[in-house]
Amino acid sequence: MNKLVVFILVVSFFIALKGLNSYKSIEVSNEPFEYSKAENAYKNRLKTLAAIEEAKRPKVKKEQKVKKVEFKVALDTPALKRGFKLYSKCIVCHGKLGAGKKSQNAPKIGGQFDWYVSLQISNMQKGIRVNKAMEPYIKKLSSQDIADLSAYISKLPWKAL
Ligand code: HEC
């Protein structure tokens, strides 16, 4: 029994000795303690923890704002380019997109068939269809002008945007 106690004592002694020696492996910095550094480190740690918490939270999808895209006719032919320029005179009454304006009694023409637009304008020129309001605007239009205008108008959106 005594032998066992001695053995335990001896083993404990060596373990304690090893433990006492282990302080040598702990690195001790000789740098002076800087309060601001420690404070910053603490603040950074808090931020990191907050970020971790934030990442754990279930994500609520933000409602995506629908960007309103301005409608533009692709002016990829000379006819459309000319039509676009000629149409600037019609905007006052029919609107930029040809949606029409009630205040002007002007109907929607955007997206209308090109043949129909051409026919109406030439009929107005001939007096087959009387349109006093539009008369000054179409008087001088050539058949080419009418064709180009109609091509452009037919490309405008039929549905209101
Ligand atoms: C001063 C206002 C005014 C301007 C400018 C004007 N319009 Fe009109 N437009 C009208 C009115 C009002 C009507 C409806 C006429 C009617 O009652 O017959 C009309 C009708 C039309 C129609 C017939 C639509 C349909 O459904 O039958 C076409 C096509 C048209 N305009 C094209 C044009 C073009 C192209 C231009 C530019 C060169 C133009 N308008 C400029 C007022 C205008």
Side-chain angles (χ1 to χ4, degrees), residues 52-85:
I52 290 169
E53 281 304 307
E54 185 62 39
K56 277 187 203 161
R57 244 180 258 159
K59 280 197 178 94
V60 183
K61 267 194 182 173
K62 275 185 195 162
E63 262 186 60
Q64 276 190 325
K65 274 190 184 169
V66 184
K67 242 188 166 180
K68 229 187 169 184
V69 188
E70 212 188 319
F71 185 92
K72 268 189 184 140
V73 174
L75 304 176
D76 41 18
T77 66
L80 287 174
K81 273 181 201 151
R82 289 194 68 239
F84 168 73
K85 276 187 194 155

Side-chain angles (χ1 to χ4, degrees), residues 88-122:
S88 62
K89 284 184 206 145
C90 322
I91 293 174
V92 228
C93 297
H94 291 284
K96 204 175 161 194
L97 300 180
K101 278 186 192 170
K102 200 182 174 194
S103 60
Q104 304 288 333
N105 289 326
K108 173 166 83 177
I109 54 171
Q112 182 55 276
F113 293 124
D114 47 1
W115 61 264
Y116 178 83
V117 175
S118 295
L119 185 66
Q120 299 317 305
I121 297 174
S122 58

